[in-house]
Amino acid sequence: MSSLRDFSKKKKPEDYYVNLIQELERINGRLHAFNEISHDVDRGFPISVKDNICVDGMEATASSRMLKGYKPPFDATVVQKLKDAGFSVLGKTNMDEFGFGSFGINCISPARNPFDEERVAGGSSSGAAVAASIMKYHLAIAESTGGSISAPACFCGVVGFTPTYGVISRYGLIDYANSLDKIGFIARSSEDISDVFKLSVGKDGFDSTCADFKPLKKEKDRLVIINQLYERLDKGIKASFDRSVRRLSAKGFKIGYEDVNEIGYAVPAYYIVSMAEASTNLAKYTGFKYGEQLTDFSMDYNSFFSASRNVFGEEAKRKIVLGSFIRSASVRSMYYEKALKVRRLIINRLKEILDGSFIISPSMPVLAPKIEEARAFTPVQNYSMDVLTIPPNLCGFPSISLPSDYVGGLPTGMQIIGDHMEDLSILSFGKEWEKDFIYRFKYNIGEI
Amino acid sequence: MEKSEFERLLKICRLDLDKKEKDRLKDDTEEILKYFDQISKVDTHDLRPAFHPIELQGQTRKDKVIRFDKSERLLKNTKTHRFFVLGPKV
């Protein structure tokens, strides 16, 4: 049974929400999943919202000092829809600053992995994945640009769903990269996500890029592994993935292998496009309209603007510099325009495969690293870790990360990619997987 | 990237960094650009750029006045003097 229906049927003690919040605050002191926990929740299924998505009256910082103190007076469309359906916002979840990261460490207090607190929770929706992993009844609204839902869901042993680009309104989302950002969900089952996804789609007059959701519900029994991605896996992950593939084969799925020579270019193409877009989005933070505010108005505009931008973290500054450079007239065609054409090439090639199959891979090529190990990665090592999650994100394909195994006590994840608008089909795949694969959790806060 | 070119880039970006941060960022920029350069090997001559991953029809809403009654709450996010947002001189 879905936990949404289970929760609504169960009789809850009068002090249920008070106890839930107290227990959550106690554990949050160690795990840093939430940037803010609400004390106003006394009914409804508890949801959390990533801190780059606006909730009326709650701080929306995107885990950046630049937005400290900013309280939007409105709800993002997705939040409004779920509030209208009876859900209650329990808090705002931690993340990499503005979504810039794969490990959740580009922020003041990184969220910690519930399976091993010395390890990363994954990013950028780190807090969202931890929240879903530690609470018995919970659904986290998250956001993905290049893998920010699948990566943390994989490391924290929960289900992460990234929809087709554009089918959920992004009104109220603090942008990272407009042609890549997608609002999605993290929870303990595909069924919970499926129920909430259906409530969240639909055109929105406040988002001119919001697409009409025209579901393609195809039952596919062929799963394709891309050889060039399989070769990139860490040894332990490869063995674990092979076990999952054998399990799927035993369930009747046909397994195929395909060469996609272009797939290796997805990561650089993604980072070029995302940095170009991020560098323009970050230009709106001027240090006097909201969030970080300087008070020395005697400075000229350029000095004032430069001084306010000092509060950005290291990765944000990197994106500003590189994004500004690759958009400049002399190299624009070499980097930015070329990357957009590479995106077209990869979309076309993957669509050929997705015509009759789903694409399957592990969600991450490694187990969750220790926080100190992740901090030691160079930027290129960091970006390369997204090799499996970037192809669907760059191309706007829906994807789901399902817990698929446990290695040395840590969860691993399996990613299923569908064609555009096949969101419900991959969620059905997840439900099928969950029929005989039992997920494990370290905490069950809020159990009734 | 030449030092002078990098300094110019920082100026355009309105980033005022100390020497240590500047040196690290310059090294990172060079490493990342080298990584990006690999896409030049891909043959894309007959392809259109994909500005969005799916084809979207631009949609606009009707141009009509709607009531917005949250101005005061919106302005609480900023320092104001009477009805003016305070900022630096331009």
Side-chain angles (χ1 to χ4, degrees), chain A residues 377-389:
Chain A
F377 290 150
T378 67
V380 169
Q381 284 172 331
N382 237 313
Y383 303 161
S384 302
M385 293 291 174
D386 302 335
V387 64
L388 304 170
T389 58

Side-chain angles (χ1 to χ4, degrees), chain A residues 416-428:
Chain A
I416 319 300
I417 306 169
D419 199 351
H420 295 139
M421 304 293 172
E422 283 186 341
D423 304 67
L424 295 176
S425 303
I426 58 169
L427 284 162
S428 294

Side-chain angles (χ1 to χ4, degrees), chain B residues 1 11 14 32 41 50 54 56 64:
Chain B
M1 187 181 285
K11 202 174 162 190
R14 306 289 190 275
I32 295 165
K41 293 181 214 155
I54 61 172
L56 290 167
K64 61 175 184 184

Side-chain angles (χ1 to χ4, degrees), chain A residues 161-180:
Chain A
F161 172 69
T162 307
T164 299
Y165 174 81
V167 300
I168 293 180
S169 166
R170 294 175 295 173
Y171 176 67
L173 169 70
I174 297 166
D175 316 295
Y176 167 174
N178 307 55
S179 81
L180 295 155

Side-chain angles (χ1 to χ4, degrees), chain A residues 95-96 102-108 110-111 120 122-123 126 371 374-376 382:
Chain A
M95 56 183 287
D96 285 293
S102 311
F103 297 110
I105 55 173
N106 295 331
C107 57
I108 296 162
V120 302
S126 49
I371 292 175
R375 282 195 169 124
N382 237 313

Side-chain angles (χ1 to χ4, degrees), chain A residues 56 69-71 73 165 179 203 205 207-211 265 267 271-272 288-290 293 295 297-298 301-302 304-306 309-310 314 317-318 320-322 324-325 335 338 340-341 343-345 347 378 380 395-396 420, chain B residues 1 5-6 9-10 13-17 21 24-25 28-29 31-33 35-44 47-57 59 61 70 73-74 77-79 85-90:
Chain A
D56 193 345
Y70 169 61
K71 284 187 180 178
Y165 174 81
S179 81
K203 279 201 167 187
D207 177 3
S208 62
T209 60
C210 189
Y265 300 110
V267 178
Y271 273 99
I272 290 169
F288 66 91
K289 288 182 190 159
Y290 41 74
Q293 307 214 356
T295 50
F297 297 128
S298 66
Y301 188 81
N302 282 339
F304 188 92
F305 195 33
S306 301
R309 284 157 77 87
N310 264 336
E314 203 174 333
K317 287 176 183 167
R318 224 177 261 135
I320 291 170
V321 167
L322 277 146
S324 303
F325 177 71
Y335 292 111
K338 180 80 177 177
L340 294 175
K341 290 179 181 178
R343 165 147 78 179
R344 172 85 61 202
L345 182 74
I347 291 173
T378 67
V380 169
C395 303
H420 295 139
Chain B
M1 187 181 285
E5 192 184 355
F6 188 70
L9 184 58
L10 290 181
C13 295
R14 306 289 190 275
L15 285 176
D16 187 12
L17 311 177
E21 201 176 3
R24 192 170 60 229
L25 192 56
D28 288 349
T29 301
E31 185 203 4
I32 295 165
L33 284 176
Y35 180 67
F36 286 172
D37 282 340
Q38 60 179 298
I39 64 165
S40 65
K41 293 181 214 155
V42 194
D43 178 10
T44 55
L47 292 165
R48 288 180 296 122
F51 289 101
H52 287 276
I54 61 172
E55 299 298 328
L56 290 167
Q57 299 296 323
Q59 48 181 324
R61 59 176 179 262
K70 294 179 178 173
R73 287 183 60 206
L74 196 63
N77 282 299
T78 192
K79 288 180 175 56
V85 174
L86 301 181
K89 58 193 176 188
V90 183

